[in-house]
Amino acid sequence: MPLVMTASQVLATAHPNIALVKYWGKRDTTLNTPAVSSLSITLDTLQVSTRAVFGDGDALTINGSSEPRATARAIACLDAYRAETGVASRPIVADSDVNFPVAAGLASSAAGFAALVIAADALYGGLLPTPELARLAGQASGSAARSLFGGFVHLAAPTRDGQPIDVREVVPADAWPLEVVIAVTATGPKAVGSTQGMELTRTTAPFYPSWVDAQPADIESALAAITVQDFARLADVAEHSCLKMHAVAMAAQPGLVYWNGATVEALHTVRALRRSGTPVFFTIDAGPQVKAICEPGSSDAVAAALADVPGVIDVLRCGLGPGALAGPC
């Protein structure tokens, strides 16, 4: 396939996503395909901005620093793109700026690899459609596939070996503009990364098969709730999915405990708010940060309550946002 460049330098932006129905575990570790389907929301104010140019060798910096493992994953992602499209193997130098904590359970890798693949595609001339870019991003970071899309996003896991993922936007961001408040309880990287934690869970947790078997019903329930904007029903399924994911991770050997004391206190705070009539529910990814999803107009009260929780370092506020975008700069 011929290489047609549209710009000598591109700027790509992508946002993290938060899974409401969780993904945990791999079906195929080589292709990084998920064992279960998932349903997420893409955020707006948290962002990865990646500038990409052709250079003498593939390279990646994150907030001005090079990290060998992230660079190796980025190079593998770019190699997969070039193999898929057959473009000339021109190296890419990418510099990413991240405006939120990295590797701390806030889906920085999802946003980062979404930005990388869309930046590379823009440099090489826009050769692949978004679903194919999502598949390549997902090979680098399973949840990155969802950050190619905005609003509510459904990632359907393969049902047989060798089958690709299917990712689509279910509802656009402005159709049900929920608000998100994030209680940051730690800013450093988590001790056990998601990929390692998923494999440990899959191979050692006795409840893992039950986790996989229960997922289709949760997806169906969440999709039905989103279709009619039933906040209470979505809250129930999302909180249940979150607690099940962490329960199966805790049942691994050794058990994976991603929470700290402030995580637990923030969780209880969200529950108390909901019992008192505030439309809010929690979810927690593989990390210690608590995400509180609110109906429009409720985030002020939720943010104030979470800011008062001992051990909460910062409170971030977001809405629902767009998928990844790239253009010349």
Side-chain angles (χ1 to χ4, degrees), residues 126-141:
L127 303 176
L128 292 179
T130 300
E132 288 302 304
L133 293 174
R135 180 178 57 79
L136 290 172
Q139 289 179 11
S141 171

Side-chain angles (χ1 to χ4, degrees), residues 3-89:
L3 174 62
V4 179
M5 291 183 292
T6 58
S8 60
Q9 181 176 211
V10 300
L11 175 64
T13 58
H15 305 274
N17 67 81
I18 296 171
L20 303 183
V21 178
K22 299 297 188 189
Y23 137 62
W24 192 249
K26 310 289 186 184
R27 180 184 181 93
D28 183 328
T29 55
T30 301
L31 295 176
N32 206 37
T33 50
V36 296
S37 300
S38 56
L39 187 70
S40 65
I41 50 176
T42 301
L43 305 181
D44 57 2
T45 57
L46 305 188
Q47 181 171 289
V48 174
S49 301
T50 297
R51 293 182 183 273
V53 297
F54 289 116
D56 295 330
D58 287 326
L60 171 69
T61 61
I62 301 172
N63 290 338
S65 300
S66 178
E67 200 279 317
R69 185 170 179 272
T71 299
R73 292 171 70 190
I75 292 172
C77 184
L78 293 171
D79 283 343
Y81 177 93
R82 289 185 286 246
E84 181 86 8
T85 58
V87 296
S89 185

Side-chain angles (χ1 to χ4, degrees), residues 232-298:
R233 182 176 182 182
L234 183 62
D236 287 342
V237 68
E239 289 189 351
H240 192 210
S241 177
C242 168
L243 294 175
K244 284 191 294 183
M245 188 202 91
H246 284 278
V248 73
M250 290 178 187
Q253 292 181 312
L256 296 166
V257 182
Y258 285 107
W259 300 355
N260 55 36
T263 306
V264 177
E265 290 305 313
L267 183 157
H268 285 308
T269 296
V270 173
R271 278 187 157 180
L273 286 166
R274 190 174 171 201
R275 285 196 302 269
S276 68
T278 301
V280 60
F281 63 88
F282 68 81
T283 191
I284 308 165
D285 293 312
Q289 329 301 358
V290 176
K291 293 90 173 180
I293 293 85
C294 325
E295 283 195 332
S298 300

